[in-house]
Amino acid sequence: VVLALIWYIPCTRSVQTQTLLWLSRLSKYTLVDVFAVICILVAIQLQLDYGVEAIVRAEARFSIIAFFLATLWEFIHIEIVKLMYERKVLGMDHSKGGRGDNGDVEEAREAAADKKSDELFDEPLPVKRLWIPIVLVVLSIGLYLAGAILDLVTFKSADTASVCIRNYNLVTLGNALVDYEGLAANMTPGQSWFLYLCWVFLLLVLPIATHIMQLLVLINRTVAKGFLGPKEKHVRTWTSNIWCFATIEVLMIAVFSIEYRFPDFISRIAGDAAVLLRIDSDLNAGFAILTVYSVIAGFAQYTLRVCPPGIGYRKNEA
């Protein structure tokens, strides 16, 4: 709806540029539905004994896959609109490496707004202040590794015979989707594997790739100055694009929302049998570390001054 409004309702270039930028930044938060369902699929793997042994499992259905595909299309849709905006409104023609043939129509009226739009994205920090992104990037990498290794969340279930405690970190929480228990008598194993691949790609591959590219930019400006040459701008652009799809902070929202109401959620599912269940959950050190990581990593990416493709580039960089 916002994309349609910003395209058709007359407004300044500055408003359009800022709106498209924030849509690009915030669109990944729609994935909270997918991550919440994945947490439920893992958390509800219960094996209880109340005189009669009961095994509780949950399976994915296509609606959650549809949610993911809808979010993926949202990402693509925003990029398409941004590209159309650059070519038709800002007058950029990437195929020719410069501005298009829109001429100087209303150039005087738009000069102030255009200047303000350009100032939204400054040039990368000068070398003398590189210690700021260096510290933030190194700290982000350390926090990510620590948060991925330490336990993220704990689910507890108790019956008349024993207490079952399951601890999950960033890796094992995803692996639980496709382990023996997760796929036992599963009628839709393909959908579980699809969610698992999405988990690995969005939470493991993309954050690691982002930090590797950030290190390349920093190394290019310090140890091996200029070895990337003109390619540095492209590396910074791809770093920004990849970072938009890395979704650690979205997972933290989903984990918190599920853990906060997990006992009530299980009780509603169990109905009258809820009086027999003793279910609990806890957030662990990994959750706190990854939450801090999400904030620090966001600042690290900001200090590198990486713009989305085309939008906000200075005219001599178009």
Side-chain angles (χ1 to χ4, degrees):
V1 171
V2 175
L3 280 175
L5 291 176
I6 202 65
W7 188 259
Y8 288 106
I9 294 180
C11 56
T12 65
R13 291 184 183 179
S14 177
V15 172
Q16 289 176 321
T17 301
Q18 291 184 67
T19 302
L20 289 174
L21 172 64
W22 281 102
L23 282 176
S24 179
R25 288 174 174 173
L26 299 176
S27 61
K28 62 180 172 182
Y29 289 94
T30 56
L31 280 171
V32 70
D33 300 314
V34 178
F35 289 140
V37 169
I38 291 176
C39 293
I40 291 172
L41 293 176
V42 174
I44 209 170
Q45 294 181 8
L46 306 175
Q47 187 163 348
L48 306 172
D49 186 358
Y50 291 98
V52 177
E53 187 174 347
I55 298 177
V56 184
R57 297 287 183 269
E59 298 177 5
R61 289 294 183 264
F62 181 74
S63 63
I64 192 60
I65 307 298
F67 270 111
F68 175 81
L69 295 176
T71 302
L72 181 62
W73 166 244
E74 181 186 0
F75 291 155
I76 298 173
H77 189 190
I78 290 175
E79 294 303 317
I80 292 174
V81 171
K82 284 164 61 177
L83 182 61
M84 295 168 62
Y85 174 75
E86 292 163 10
R87 291 181 175 177
K88 300 299 183 181
V89 179
L90 297 183
M92 295 179 179
D93 188 349
H94 295 286
S95 62
K96 298 180 181 179
R99 298 184 69 87
D101 300 325
N102 290 0
D104 298 324
V105 179
E106 298 181 339
E107 187 67 27
R109 186 176 67 84
E110 293 287 353
D114 192 36
K115 179 180 178 182
K116 184 177 180 180
S117 174
D118 286 340
E119 291 173 352
L120 290 174
F121 306 103
D122 298 326
E123 295 294 334
L125 289 173
V127 175
K128 64 182 180 181
R129 288 192 290 171
L130 265 181
W131 68 269
I132 298 175
I134 289 175
V135 170
L136 291 176
V137 169
V138 172
L139 183 59
S140 298
I141 295 173
L143 289 172
Y144 176 79
L145 294 176
I149 294 172
L150 296 176
D151 289 337
L152 181 68
V153 63
T154 298
F155 297 108
K156 306 174 185 177
S157 60
D159 55 28
T160 56
S162 62
V163 176
C164 179
I165 301 177
R166 299 172 182 265
N167 297 312
Y168 297 100
N169 61 23
L170 186 63
V171 177
T172 58
L173 187 59
N175 291 343
L177 281 172
V178 292
D179 63 10
Y180 175 78
E181 291 186 352
L183 296 179
N186 192 324
M187 294 186 295
T188 57
Q191 296 184 29
S192 296
W193 275 103
F194 180 85
L195 292 176
Y196 171 72
L197 293 176
C198 295
W199 179 280
V200 171
F201 185 70
L202 295 173
L203 299 173
L204 298 177
V205 174
L206 293 186
I208 292 174
T210 297
H211 295 314
I212 290 175
M213 298 180 77
Q214 288 174 337
L215 289 175
L216 284 176
V217 173
L218 294 176
I219 292 173
N220 182 62
R221 299 181 189 174
T222 54
V223 180
K225 295 181 179 179
F227 81 98
L228 289 177
K231 294 181 180 179
E232 182 188 321
K233 183 179 69 175
H234 301 295
V235 173
R236 288 189 284 114
T237 299
W238 276 103
T239 305
S240 179
N241 293 340
I242 294 174
W243 174 249
C244 286
F245 288 87
T247 51
I248 293 292
E249 64 272 35
V250 184
L251 174 65
M252 296 303 101
I253 297 173
V255 170
F256 176 79
S257 63
I258 296 302
E259 189 279 335
Y260 179 67
R261 303 291 293 178
F262 182 66
D264 293 339
F265 175 73
I266 296 296
S267 297
R268 290 178 180 274
I269 292 177
D272 295 337
V275 294
L276 301 175
L277 298 176
R278 287 178 291 168
I279 305 295
D280 198 6
S281 60
D282 292 304
L283 297 174
N284 298 324
F287 177 85
I289 292 175
L290 288 177
T291 300
V292 175
Y293 159 80
S294 300
V295 177
I296 299 298
F299 279 115
Q301 182 67 16
Y302 174 75
T303 57
L304 288 176
R305 298 292 200 275
V306 183
C307 310
I311 290 186
Y313 281 1
R314 296 187 180 277
K315 293 182 179 64
N316 60 5
E317 263 192 290

